[in-house]
Amino acid sequence: MVRFLAGSGPTSDWGDLTMISVPASAPYLPTTRAIAGARFDQSLRAIGSGARPTVPAERVRAVEIGMQGVVQGVGFRPFVHRLAIRHGVDGWVRNESGAVRVIAQAAPAEIEGFLKGLRTELPPLARIDAFEVRESEPVLLEGFRIVASDVTPVGRLPVSPDVAICASCERELSDPSDRRFNYPFITCTDCGPRFTVIEEMPYDRERSTMAAFPQCPECLREYLDPADRRYHSETNSCATCGPSVWLESVGEGKPVRGENAIHHAAGLLSEGRIVALRGLGGFHLAVDARCEEAVRRLRARKGREAKPFAVMVRRLADAEQLAHVSEADAALLTSRERPIVVMTKRSGARLARSVSPGLASVGVMLAYTPLHLLLSEAFGGRPLVMTSGNANEEPIATGNDEARVRLAGIADAFLFHDREIVERYDDSLVRVVDEQAVFLRRSRGYAPMPLGLPVAAPEAVLAVGPHLKNTFTLAQGSDAYVSQHVGDLENLETIAHFQHALARFEHLFRIEPRWVVHDLHPGYLSTRLAEESGLPELPPVQHHHAHIAAVLGEHAITDRVLGLAFDGTGYGSDGHVWGFEVLEADLLGFERLAHLRYAPLPGGDKAARSPWRALLGYASLDEVSAPWARMALARVPPNELVVARQQVQRRLNAPLASSMGRLFDAAAAALGLRLESEYEGQAAMELEAAAGSTLGAPLPFPLIEADGRMRQLDPVPLLSALAMGISRGEDVGELAARFHETLASSVSRLALDLCRERGLSRVALGGGCFQNARLLSSIRRQVTQAGVKVLTPIALGPNDGSVSYGQAVVAAARMNA
């Protein structure tokens, strides 16, 4: 027997103590909640022997340690236990709602080694944001143990994202002698689902969807063995006690179960069938990436005519057969996050043309769950299209019954499993520019890790984000929890996804917002959601200011900078459409210094999908030389062209716009690349693809002044030069390259001039147009070479997925002003 004391005071002041006895072999030390009803709050309480310590204090050092960060659900307590055993430390460790607490005592040198190890030998998924050590009086303790979690709701705790299968589990998965050979849900403390299975913090099995799968004796032995890699792995399971997989084919009554289900699914894929596969955060739709007919069938059923599909392969060597893989690309592909990485396609890569039509790039990811690995192996390692399990623009399906209904007209078969998914979780999407990752979509593997705020929010704030590529942010204190990718708020299903995800964030991170902040645009559905939230509203944040504030927030900068905010559309302070904005900005506000010359956008929002409309708008500014646009516009249906001309002339549904995105559209139309877009950004992506790495001399892009201070860049001569070049038979790729270089050199020159005039030393780049690798790289290079520091997004992307964070950054700063 080991004797313990539960007291109502801290260790330096024992207060009233209650004596109990616990068997020395007990797997857990008792919590004070279980000892005589004692209460354990944010202060550490004593667990010790029945008397004042008899060990000479000069020979023992006792400390209380508090750690915050990503320290639950990542194998942190087993790590602390192993470290303590190594250093001969007595005491205990436990999860609390907001931290991990440790009582430790040993010889002073061993305590020093223990503390150093806590900081430097973290488990792969752990991150410590706050580390507090407090000296205490030694007490008699025997051994070191993991104490059952205290679930008193006293604080917030980051939740680890879901991550890819680790190398150790992957070896066991393919080892015929291992008891988890070919088990599709193999995990350990270093890998597997977290965010998509955790129902409540602190993270223990009973507060996750794994509670439905009690461990068998063999799994429980591993779970309780400090020497085992699965010690306190909350997702631990095997084929005897864990989740199972089965295949249901449309029109066939009897499901196929177990390993046979995976092989049967691979057989269907080989026949060109479409298989819906339940993954970590929802369903994928899979098809043979080499079969043109199968890929086209998937496009037709999904309603996704041209937007590129991602491809999944088994190994890095397989990815290298499809694309040019740099060292930075390879590091991302093989990282524990395993995002989709957009890379340049290899000439002759064996992929169906319809995988990424019209583009020089392809998005590739490595199989990241054991189920995906097994399916890839069964399919012979050949590439598979692996796209989101939804109809076009809807949220991904997560539940089995939901998928049977929503994907019934798309999939020929369903590869189901019975581990429930708490939250939708799309694959993350990145590309590498200048050896740095640029996020195109931040979700699996990265969300919901919190970001810092440069100015702490004194009260909790909900930032609802933009209309397209929506995310929301919950901010309190110095933490900002940016949601996973939600999507375009254009249907009821996505709005329901927004509301469900928001409710879960509020519950999981224990944040009850007191204020709401939204975009300046009165017509955004996100604005309406803010207005209907019942929360008092903070002043709206202009869209492009939010873009620049997001970059400043990530770099923890509060000073004024020159911001270049380039995207498709955002509601401007003057009521016009903005999107080519040069701002002097800080967290509190901005001054607009330059923009693109305004042009009408006939059809309003239709212009985003009809590049010819943007071209017509610019041509209307130059009636004398407008014939340069006639060749491109000659291919537009005459009745549509007549209506659009009338809209321009009458200023009817033809808002004035200063937009980099629409300038790219107009250029693509002028070059004959695209008159109609089937997805957002298609014309700009094809224009970038056409330019390739070709070099070219700049074209005319004059700078004009509207008044004494505001500068404007006039795109009409630039577009005219492109159209005239085509009429003379010049190469489209060379003209596309010259367009890119013209933009980069003109913008860089303007930015540097304004920095000198305003005494600014930093330029921040934000907005979706900086997803264009050539534009980003060229502007960054030219500005940096002139001695001005360039700031770009780090953990978020440049597109609208960062806007909610920018709104939160601005709101927090204004609340402190």
Side-chain angles (χ1 to χ4, degrees):
M1 278 305 178
V2 183
R3 292 181 300 166
F4 297 95
L5 290 175
S8 59
T11 53
S12 57
D13 180 13
W14 288 89
D16 296 328
L17 301 174
T18 302
M19 178 77 70
I20 66 167
S21 296
V22 179
S25 59
Y28 293 101
L29 286 176
T31 67
T32 50
R33 305 188 102 211
I35 302 173
R39 183 175 178 272
F40 191 103
D41 56 18
Q42 288 178 313
S43 299
L44 286 167
R45 306 303 189 219
I47 296 179
S49 69
R52 286 281 185 175
T54 59
V55 180
E58 65 271 13
R59 292 169 51 190
V60 174
R61 181 185 175 190
V63 293
E64 302 170 0
I65 307 162
M67 289 165 285
Q68 293 181 325
V70 184
V71 290
Q72 291 192 20
V74 293
F76 196 83
R77 290 174 300 169
F79 153 71
V80 174
H81 184 279
R82 290 191 296 270
L83 192 65
I85 298 303
R86 188 206 307 171
H87 287 281
V89 172
D90 294 321
W92 51 264
V93 57
R94 76 169 172 195
N95 283 342
E96 295 180 5
S97 297
V100 165
R101 293 289 183 181
V102 179
I103 290 290
Q105 63 182 44
E110 296 299 338
I111 288 293
E112 282 301 318
F114 179 66
L115 293 173
K116 180 179 179 181
L118 288 176
R119 293 185 175 98
T120 62
E121 302 177 30
L122 296 176
L125 305 183
R127 187 187 81 189
I128 293 179
D129 297 327
F131 191 102
E132 180 185 359
V133 179
R134 187 154 56 98
E135 301 294 329
S136 62
E137 290 188 38
V139 296
L140 287 179
L141 295 170
E142 183 175 302
F144 194 93
R145 299 192 183 183
I146 293 177
V147 175
S149 299
D150 176 30
V151 296
T152 305
V154 294
R156 295 185 305 280
L157 195 68
V159 173
S160 169
D162 291 19
V163 293
I165 182 173
C166 68
S168 297
C169 284
E170 192 169 341
R171 283 192 296 271
E172 292 172 350
L173 182 70
S174 58
D175 181 0
S177 66
D178 193 276
R179 74 186 192 92
R180 291 186 175 87
F181 175 58
N182 284 350
Y183 176 56
F185 306 98
I186 185 173
T187 65
C188 69
T189 55
D190 294 337
C191 67
R194 298 292 192 278
F195 178 60
T196 58
V197 299
I198 295 174
E199 295 175 325
E200 192 166 359
M201 296 296 280
Y203 175 41
D204 289 297
R205 193 182 188 96
E206 62 267 25
R207 286 181 289 279
S208 77
T209 60
M210 287 300 294
F213 304 98
Q215 296 179 84
C216 67
E218 185 66 15
C219 286
L220 188 59
R221 182 196 61 76
E222 297 168 331
Y223 182 86
L224 296 175
D225 181 1
D228 196 282
R229 196 174 84 253
R230 295 183 171 89
Y231 184 45
H232 280 262
S233 171
E234 306 301 348
T235 55
N236 189 36
S237 67
C238 68
T240 300
C241 62
S244 59
V245 63
W246 70 96
L247 182 80
E248 295 181 11
S249 297
V250 176
E252 297 182 15
K254 189 174 181 181
V256 180
R257 297 190 174 275
E259 192 173 335
N260 289 336
I262 297 171
H263 286 280
H264 193 62
L268 293 175
L269 290 167
S270 297
E271 296 171 5
R273 306 289 185 87
I274 300 169
V275 175
L277 163 71
R278 195 183 197 193
L280 283 177
F283 279 80
H284 282 121
L285 290 167
V287 76
D288 185 348
R290 296 182 178 181
C291 180
E292 178 68 20
E293 181 183 354
V295 177
R296 286 190 178 186
R297 186 182 307 115
L298 175 58
R299 287 199 176 280
R301 292 185 185 179
K302 187 176 166 69
R304 184 167 169 166
E305 296 181 16
K307 193 173 183 179
F309 284 142
V311 173
M312 185 189 78
V313 294
R314 173 70 178 82
R315 299 176 178 86
L316 180 61
D318 301 324
E320 292 171 336
Q321 297 297 311
L322 304 179
H324 296 279
V325 182
S326 69
E327 288 187 13
D329 292 326
L332 285 166
L333 286 167
T334 57
S335 68
R336 60 176 176 260
E337 292 84 7
R338 300 273 175 97
I340 301 167
V341 182
V342 178
M343 300 170 289
T344 303
K345 274 187 288 192
R346 283 193 179 275
S347 177
R350 293 192 60 190
L351 286 175
R353 188 189 64 82
S354 293
V355 168
S356 55
L359 301 179
S361 59
V362 62
V364 181
M365 64 178 170
L366 302 192
Y368 58 87
T369 75
L371 182 56
H372 287 88
L373 282 169
L374 293 172
L375 181 62
S376 182
E377 290 284 358
F379 191 62
R382 303 189 303 277
L384 285 166
V385 165
M386 199 64 66
T387 189
S388 53
N390 55 4
N392 198 33
E393 306 303 334
E394 291 182 358
I396 56 175
T398 57
N400 292 337
D401 290 340
E402 177 190 5
R404 289 185 182 101
V405 174
R406 290 180 53 201
L407 304 181
I410 302 176
D412 298 306
F414 296 84
L415 192 58
F416 289 127
H417 66 72
D418 53 0
R419 184 181 65 206
E420 291 307 312
I421 297 170
V422 178
E423 188 61 77
R424 288 179 172 85
Y425 209 37
D426 291 86
D427 293 316
S428 292
L429 181 65
V430 301
R431 75 182 305 181
V432 172
V433 181
D434 301 332
E435 299 304 303
Q436 298 178 31
V438 176
F439 281 87
L440 311 182
R441 181 173 67 216
R442 176 184 179 267
S443 200
R444 176 183 55 78
Y446 300 96
M449 292 292 288
L451 279 68
L453 290 171
V455 179
E459 293 184 275
V461 176
L462 164 63
V464 295
H467 182 74
L468 301 178
K469 295 182 175 63
N470 179 269
T471 64
F472 61 81
T473 295
L474 282 173
Q476 187 168 19
S478 59
D479 295 326
Y481 292 86
V482 184
S483 75
Q484 73 273 30
H485 171 76
V486 173
D488 298 346
L489 298 179
E490 297 197 321
N491 53 61
L492 292 176
E493 292 85 357
T494 306
I495 292 172
H497 174 27
F498 175 100
Q499 293 169 329
H500 176 272
L502 174 59
R504 181 162 183 255
F505 265 59
E506 291 175 349
H507 176 74
L508 197 61
F509 301 117
R510 299 190 175 104
I511 296 178
E512 184 178 347
R514 302 296 183 184
W515 299 90
V516 65
V517 62
H518 57 78
D519 192 272
L520 188 62
H521 197 305
Y524 276 0
L525 276 178
S526 57
T527 300
R528 187 180 307 173
L529 289 170
E531 293 169 346
E532 295 174 354
S533 69
L535 297 170
E537 298 177 30
L538 293 168
V541 179
Q542 198 279 325
H543 187 86
H544 301 94
H545 182 209
H547 271 303
I548 301 305
V551 179
L552 297 183
E554 285 209 72
H555 289 269
I557 289 174
T558 58
D559 297 333
R560 294 183 77 77
V561 301
L562 189 76
L564 305 181
F566 297 160
D567 62 5
T569 59
Y571 190 76
S573 303
D574 58 3
H576 298 319
V577 176
W578 289 9
F580 187 117
E581 307 311 312
V582 183
L583 314 173
E584 183 176 352
D586 60 15
L587 304 185
L588 295 175
F590 66 92
E591 180 183 352
R592 194 185 194 199
L593 303 181
H595 60 87
L596 201 63
R597 182 184 177 189
Y598 279 125
L601 283 181
D605 289 343
K606 283 186 178 180
R609 294 294 179 93
S610 300
W612 66 265
R613 293 177 182 272
L615 180 64
L616 176 63
Y618 284 117
S620 72
L621 302 178
D622 186 17
E623 294 295 345
V624 176
S625 58
W628 56 262
R630 285 178 184 168
M631 187 167 67
L633 296 175
R635 294 184 290 137
V636 176
N639 59 328
E640 292 187 37
L641 188 58
V642 168
V643 171
R645 288 189 189 278
Q646 291 175 345
Q647 289 175 322
V648 170
Q649 292 166 1
R650 299 174 185 177
R651 291 292 189 265
L652 179 65
N653 193 24
L656 294 177
S658 159
S659 167
M660 177 71 95
R662 299 296 78 80
L663 178 57
F664 268 87
D665 288 347
L671 292 175
L673 288 172
R674 181 156 297 279
L675 294 179
E676 296 284 351
S677 293
E678 290 157 355
Y679 59 90
E680 185 195 9
Q682 182 180 15
M685 293 169 68
E686 291 178 348
L687 187 61
E688 181 185 3
S693 57
T694 304
L695 298 177
L699 296 166
F701 192 23
L703 182 67
I704 59 178
E705 289 194 12
D707 53 43
R709 303 185 68 183
M710 181 71 70
R711 291 173 169 85
Q712 296 185 29
L713 283 163
D714 185 3
V716 173
L718 172 58
L719 295 170
S720 175
L722 294 177
M724 296 302 292
I726 287 295
S727 69
R728 292 191 295 267
E730 295 180 24
D731 180 71
V732 171
E734 182 177 342
L735 288 169
R738 294 180 70 185
F739 171 78
H740 280 80
E741 288 309 305
T742 299
L743 290 183
S745 60
S746 298
V747 166
S748 298
R749 188 164 53 249
L750 173 61
L752 291 170
D753 287 345
L754 288 171
C755 282
R756 281 190 289 270
E757 291 177 16
R758 296 284 179 137
L760 303 173
S761 61
R762 289 177 286 214
V763 173
L765 309 182
C769 289
F770 286 112
Q771 295 174 133
N772 182 305
R774 182 161 185 160
L775 183 69
L776 170 59
S777 179
S778 187
I779 291 177
R780 178 161 51 193
R781 182 185 68 254
Q782 293 181 54
V783 173
T784 301
Q785 286 176 348
V788 175
K789 185 175 179 61
V790 174
L791 307 173
T792 56
I794 304 169
L796 300 174
N799 63 25
D800 280 9
S802 67
V803 166
S804 69
Y805 173 67
Q807 292 171 348
V809 168
V810 172
R814 288 174 175 173
M815 292 170 77
N816 283 276

